[in-house]
Amino acid sequence: MEFIRYRVEDADGAFLDEFTTNAPDFAEERIGRIRKHRPNLTVTETPDND
């Protein structure tokens, strides 16, 4: 099963959230909730198959 690690930072590079999932819909929803309060996010996606 392939998992993706998501790291979410604000426009200034401050860490906001990090999680791993294999459900893109879940990731989109979780990031969307953060984006409501901090619209300029940087989301880094990396494989996490350890």
Side-chain angles (χ1 to χ4, degrees), residues 6-22:
Y6 296 86
R7 180 175 175 88
V8 183
E9 299 174 344
D10 69 8
D12 297 326
F15 171 80
L16 298 174
D17 194 10
E18 186 171 56
F19 61 95
T20 300
T21 185
N22 66 344

Side-chain angles (χ1 to χ4, degrees), residues 18-38:
E18 186 171 56
F19 61 95
T20 300
T21 185
N22 66 344
D25 293 340
F26 170 79
E28 185 177 323
E29 180 181 325
R30 185 165 172 167
I31 294 166
R33 281 186 264 143
I34 299 168
R35 191 167 270 134
K36 286 181 185 177
H37 304 284
R38 303 247 182 124

